[in-house]
Every structure is written in structure tokens, then in C-alpha cells.
Amino acid sequence: MEYCEQIKNKPFRAIYRGIITVQRVICYICAIALPLIITYQVVLRYVLKAPLMGIEELMTFFIIWLYMMGGSVASEQRTHIECGILTLYIKKEKTMAIFLCFKNIFSMVVCIWLTRWAYWYFDYSLKLWKTSDILKIPMFLGESAMFIGLVFMLFFGVLEMIDAFKNAARIFGGNTTEEVDKE
């Protein structure tokens, strides 16, 4: 939550903290529930010789939520997977700042596009209200994870893009890191 402390606007900081709290709670619940469900299934199947139908179906809901919230946590912490081949060849600070700005713009275009598709799927799932085969759990509960996760990723991606543009403005404005450190 180091980034949160840099936010001066109190309502925006509260929104940021709220999103982080939702992410963490969902990740903790899913990360605890999945091993417990798997252990329960193993004990039932191999020890008691009485498999329970629907466990795998239930697990998919937790898996998709953990996957999508994990992606948004990675976006928040800026630890998502990158292929930084070009960054190995870029030596100039100004060129790197321009590259990071374009990389973030491209990432936001892709994220907006995916979020739009996820919203359409979210809306479709809500209208259709399908249920799972065995447990009759509304599929909307699992399918909504894509939209919510991508909205969170978009939020954190916009913040990263703003930071990239601020850094580029600082570099092109002549305020280098040594000058910032001296202040």
C-alpha cells in the first residue's frame, strides 16, 4: 500500500484503499477455500471412498475469482509479467520515458477493449442467469469475476499511465533524479 500514501486526495485515497481491501479479501477467501475444498474431496474420495459430486464445479468459481483478483493485485503492485526485451536496448532516460508512455497507452487501449468485452459478457450473463449443472449455482457469480477484475486492472493501469506521463514530464522538464534527490 505504499502507493496509497502518495495520494493527496482523500476521497480518491479511500476509493483506492477500498479496491485494495476488496481484492485482498477475495484473494484470501479463495486462497483458503481452494485447498480446503481439495483436501475435503481427497479425504472423501480416497479415505472414505465416498466421492462428492460437484466439488470440481464449486472449485471453478473460486479459481476464476482468485485468477482475476490476482491479476488485479499484480496490476496494483506493478508486478505483472512483462517481456522487457526493448528495455534492455534503451539506454537513454528520455527514450525510456517515451517508451513507457507508449507502452502504457497501448496497455490501456487493450485493457479498455477487454473490459468492454467483459462488460458485454457480464451483462449477457446477468440477463440469462444460467446455473451450474450439479450445484445449481448461478454462473453469474463466476462469470462476473472477469469484468470486476478487468475494471480493477484498468483502474490501476490508468494510475500507472499517469505516473509514466508525470515521469516523462519531469524528465523532459529538466528535473532529473539527482535534482529531485537533492531537494
Side-chain angles (χ1 to χ4, degrees):
M1 277 212 220
E2 300 88 27
Y3 188 83
C4 184
E5 304 308 320
Q6 298 174 8
I7 300 172
K8 305 293 185 228
N9 187 334
K10 287 185 182 183
F12 191 67
R13 186 181 318 153
I15 291 169
Y16 189 92
R17 283 189 178 155
I19 290 173
I20 290 173
T21 303
V22 169
Q23 283 178 330
R24 300 297 194 281
V25 167
I26 291 171
C27 285
Y28 291 146
I29 289 170
C30 293
I32 291 169
L34 277 170
L36 290 176
I37 292 170
I38 292 168
T39 303
Y40 183 65
Q41 175 70 350
V42 167
V43 169
L44 282 177
R45 182 175 291 172
Y46 298 110
V47 176
L48 302 177
K49 306 289 187 210
L52 182 64
M53 298 298 289
I55 291 289
E56 292 85 4
E57 188 177 276
L58 180 62
M59 283 180 4
T60 57
F61 289 94
F62 288 106
I63 289 168
I64 192 165
W65 273 101
L66 184 61
Y67 185 81
M68 294 307 294
M69 287 300 111
S72 69
V73 168
S75 292
E76 182 257 321
Q77 295 177 352
R78 299 179 185 183
T79 56
H80 37 73
I81 299 171
E82 293 182 2
C83 183
I85 295 173
L86 287 176
T87 59
L88 297 173
Y89 297 106
I90 299 173
K91 302 296 182 201
K92 295 179 181 177
E93 191 177 27
K94 289 183 178 183
T95 307
M96 180 61 79
I98 293 169
F99 171 75
L100 291 176
C101 287
F102 279 110
K103 180 188 84 157
N104 281 297
I105 289 170
F106 180 73
S107 294
M108 285 302 89
V109 167
V110 170
C111 194
I112 289 168
W113 178 64
L114 289 173
T115 305
R116 185 174 172 195
W117 277 88
Y119 173 75
W120 286 340
Y121 188 59
F122 174 82
D123 188 44
Y124 168 77
S125 179
L126 186 60
K127 287 176 186 173
L128 197 58
W129 204 261
K130 326 177 264 198
T131 59
S132 62
D133 294 330
I134 298 170
L135 299 175
K136 301 300 180 200
I137 300 170
M139 294 302 289
F140 170 77
L141 296 176
E143 294 167 346
S144 62
M146 287 183 279
F147 175 64
I148 294 168
L150 282 166
V151 166
F152 287 174
M153 288 180 220
L154 182 63
F155 175 77
F156 294 118
V158 166
L159 293 179
E160 187 174 353
M161 184 174 70
I162 290 169
D163 287 347
F165 278 99
K166 282 182 180 177
N167 185 46
R170 180 188 55 79
I171 290 170
F172 281 97
N175 192 4
T176 61
T177 55
E178 295 100 24
E179 292 173 5
V180 171
D181 291 338
K182 290 178 186 176
E183 292 177 355

